[in-house]
Amino acid sequence: MISFTKTRCFAAVASCLILPSVSAFAPFFSRGSTTSNTALNMKTIAVIGASGLTSQECIYQALENGDKVVGLTRNPANVVIPKGSGGDKAGQPLKNDKLTLIGGDVTKKEDVEKVFKTGSKIDGVVIALGGKTSDVGDTMLRVGTANVIAAMKEHDCKRLAVVTSIGTGDSENQAPFFFKILMWTAMKKIFEDKNAQERVVQAEGNNLEWCLVRPGGLTVDPPTGVINVIQGEAGSIARADVATFCLEAVTDPNFKYLRQAPCISSVGGTSWTKDRSAKARGQEDAKTTA
């Protein structure tokens, strides 16, 4: 197990939580101090699926880092400050002079093109798409990702992070048994699309510097700063930590996991099961139904 620690904000926490037997690789952060981002290292990052919970974390953290963000979503009004990183401001509309939100459908090439025609050259792209197949269709992930990759090539954008899931591709055995049952039954269609999405990146992402990010069980907890790249069974991880990893994947010139598909988790994976509660989806007030 390899430990990825966000030294700019969480070094103290990470140093307490990483076990002595876990080897830590060199910190990835090479973009300057935590207090400011100069014009020399400021990036413009595109976030595809901007109203999703992980995407909102990517947007919020990128803006806090001083970067510009262009977000694509079917529902721009749903983009709010995330619970994990947003603290007391969580749930408020996410507005910033450096944020451009575009209403559109990732499966439509003309909508994806708008992301790359805002006047700012896109330096990196994070794809964090989601939704029920009954709402978005059986092929949204693969079609949308192919559209983004085509636009990236046309506009000479190299860096790409794609959030998929533990259990995709060759990580099937890293998913806990209970989650495997869901993958084979209730979540079969979405995992067929996730696997196809990964194949699109691997097949069509030639000349791109991509990373397929496979997180364990997602929560909306505050960031821990502890991100373990694991070989065994996955545990849980805050969406805020996933966002941190994705942003480094598209901004750090020395990012270690380019053209790889790391599984990431903040805790060990023994007995982990997918948390499908309202709280994990950021809907603490939602009533459960029988």
Side-chain angles (χ1 to χ4, degrees):
M1 180 171 66
I2 304 172
S3 176
F4 170 102
T5 58
K6 183 169 177 58
T7 57
R8 287 184 297 185
C9 298
F10 308 115
V13 176
S15 63
C16 295
L17 295 179
I18 298 175
L19 297 176
S21 60
V22 178
S23 60
F25 55 78
F28 292 164
F29 307 96
S30 58
R31 299 178 60 200
S33 69
T34 60
T35 56
S36 65
N37 252 348
T38 68
L40 293 176
N41 60 17
M42 184 177 68
K43 304 289 186 180
T44 299
I45 299 168
V47 179
I48 309 300
S51 59
L53 295 178
T54 302
S55 292
Q56 290 174 12
E57 283 286 354
C58 289
I59 293 171
Y60 185 80
Q61 291 183 32
L63 293 172
E64 289 290 296
N65 290 340
D67 295 322
K68 293 182 179 179
V69 178
V70 180
L72 177 68
T73 172
R74 293 181 299 165
N75 303 294
N78 291 345
V79 179
V80 298
I81 296 174
K83 289 189 175 184
S85 297
D88 293 339
K89 298 179 181 178
Q92 298 178 18
L94 184 45
K95 296 180 179 180
N96 190 294
D97 291 341
K98 293 182 178 180
L99 172 62
T100 300
L101 293 175
I102 297 172
D105 185 340
V106 71
T107 64
K108 297 180 179 179
K109 292 183 179 179
E110 60 270 24
D111 287 349
V112 174
E113 273 291 318
K114 295 175 184 177
V115 173
F116 294 85
K117 294 181 177 180
T118 61
S120 297
K121 185 183 185 305
I122 302 298
D123 296 297
V125 178
V126 177
I127 300 177
L129 295 164
K132 297 178 180 179
T133 53
S134 58
D135 296 330
V136 301
D138 294 346
T139 61
M140 181 271 290
L141 298 177
R142 71 192 83 172
V143 172
T145 299
N147 287 342
V148 173
I149 289 175
M152 290 179 67
K153 290 180 177 180
E154 181 177 348
H155 295 275
D156 192 30
C157 178
K158 298 295 186 183
R159 283 297 181 97
L160 172 66
V162 182
V163 181
T164 60
S165 174
I166 191 72
T168 52
D170 59 5
S171 72
E172 181 176 342
N173 289 333
Q174 291 184 257
F177 179 72
F178 177 74
F179 190 61
K180 288 180 185 177
I181 295 176
L182 292 177
M183 288 166 48
W184 299 331
T185 55
M187 299 175 68
K188 182 177 180 179
K189 286 187 177 181
I190 187 64
F191 265 85
E192 287 176 350
D193 200 19
K194 284 182 181 292
N195 279 304
Q197 178 187 34
E198 289 198 352
R199 291 193 295 270
V200 165
V201 174
Q202 293 163 338
E204 300 182 19
N206 54 312
N207 300 323
L208 298 185
E209 299 172 343
W210 51 263
C211 179
L212 295 171
V213 182
R214 296 167 171 171
L218 294 167
T219 75
V220 292
D221 295 335
T224 67
V226 179
I227 304 170
N228 297 321
V229 177
I230 62 172
Q231 302 300 321
E233 189 172 291
S236 63
I237 186 168
R239 293 177 186 273
D241 289 324
V242 176
T244 296
F245 192 81
C246 289
L247 291 176
E248 292 304 315
V250 299
T251 59
D252 181 3
N254 299 313
F255 188 73
K256 187 174 181 177
Y257 294 99
L258 296 179
R259 294 192 176 90
Q260 298 182 49
C263 298
I264 59 174
S265 173
S266 293
V267 297
T270 55
S271 302
W272 171 76
T273 59
K274 176 74 172 180
D275 186 355
R276 303 188 62 80
S277 68
K279 181 178 180 181
R281 300 192 304 273
Q283 301 170 347
E284 291 180 336
D285 298 329
K287 295 181 179 179
T288 56
T289 58

